[in-house]
Every structure is written in C-alpha cells, then in structure tokens.
Amino acid sequence: MERLPHIIAAHAGREGPLLPILHDVQAEYGHVSEEAIRTIAQALNLSRAEVQGVVSFYHDFHAEPDARPVLKLCRAEACQARGVDVLAAGLPENGRVKVETVYCLGLCSVGPNAMIGSKVHARLDATRLGALVEALA
Ligand code: FES
C-alpha cells in the first residue's frame, strides 16, 4: 500500500475523486483491499460503507486479487452488430481466463474486438477468439 497515499493525493483535489482513486488502486494492486477502503474513506471523509458500496457496485473493482489472465471482450453496439454475442456464448467456461465485458475499444469498424493487456485483437471469429482464450489459459 506504499503508493496509496500518492494515488489519493493525485485525485483528492478533484471533483468526484473516489472513482479515479479506485481505478488507480485497482490498476496498481489488482484489487481494492479492506485496508485501501479504510484509508480512502478516511482521506475523503466518507464512511467505509460508502466506499465499500462503490467497490461492490462496479464490476471493475475486486475485493480480492485475481491472478487469472483477462480478456476484455467488447459488447458495445458495433461489435454486437458484428456478432459478438454469438462469439461470447461460445466461449469455453473453463474458469482459467477471466472474460470481462467492455463497451467500445475504439475500433468499431473492424469488430468484433477484444483486448488482452494493451493489445487489441480485431475481426474476431469463433476460431480466433477460441485460440486467444486457449493461448491465455
Ligand atoms: S463497439 Fe466494439 S470496438 Fe467499438
């Protein structure tokens, strides 16, 4: 939690600092721990329950670290129009890869798209998506 005070300080003067702080904490530590929730609540003069409520409301935040590799699958309108829902339904449910839904990766004309790390994989079909998942597992 060494960087937590710096993360809080970077956003504390802004309007609505809680979500940016939580996003940075999630990115830095891979989860938002009880200790982080207490510290953030104290720094923003919120109750622990208020911060906990935001953490549990948004799917982006996790109370426990999750070491599984993440595939972010775009389920926004353009990728839906290009068949992402059928692709998503055909994904293997082996639990070794965490599939997260995102809404637009900015490459709508070449969807369906997914992102692994910072790399976007475009023009996915069932074979290509299955190969990505298998390579991650
Ligand atoms: S809708 Fe999927 S990348 Fe924009």
Side-chain angles (χ1 to χ4, degrees):
M1 294 283 120
E2 188 176 298
R3 290 233 339 109
L4 184 54
H6 301 287
I7 292 171
I8 292 170
H11 299 288
R14 298 180 176 168
E15 191 171 327
L18 181 55
L19 281 176
I21 289 171
L22 291 174
H23 279 290
D24 284 359
V25 168
Q26 177 68 43
E28 179 80 18
Y29 300 106
H31 70 295
V32 182
S33 68
E34 273 298 318
E35 180 186 350
I37 289 171
R38 271 195 308 276
T39 304
I40 293 165
Q42 189 172 22
L44 300 182
N45 200 24
L46 298 170
S47 71
R48 196 201 62 74
E50 287 173 299
V51 178
Q52 177 65 55
V54 173
V55 170
S56 56
F57 181 80
Y58 289 101
H59 295 292
D60 285 349
F61 307 130
H62 308 286
E64 301 291 331
D66 188 340
R68 292 179 299 167
V70 175
L71 181 140
K72 295 181 178 185
L73 186 63
C74 178
R75 306 286 297 267
E77 203 168 291
C79 287
Q80 274 185 23
R82 293 171 181 270
V84 73
D85 289 341
V86 173
L87 293 181
L91 279 172
E93 295 188 24
N94 59 22
R96 290 178 292 163
V97 174
K98 184 176 179 185
V99 178
E100 291 183 351
T101 296
V102 294
Y103 292 95
C104 198
L105 294 168
L107 294 169
C108 311
S109 64
V110 291
N113 300 315
M115 180 182 261
I116 299 170
S118 60
K119 183 170 184 192
V120 176
H121 299 268
R123 300 184 201 282
L124 294 175
D125 57 20
T127 303
R128 292 193 64 220
L129 183 59
L132 287 174
V133 170
E134 281 306 310
L136 282 174

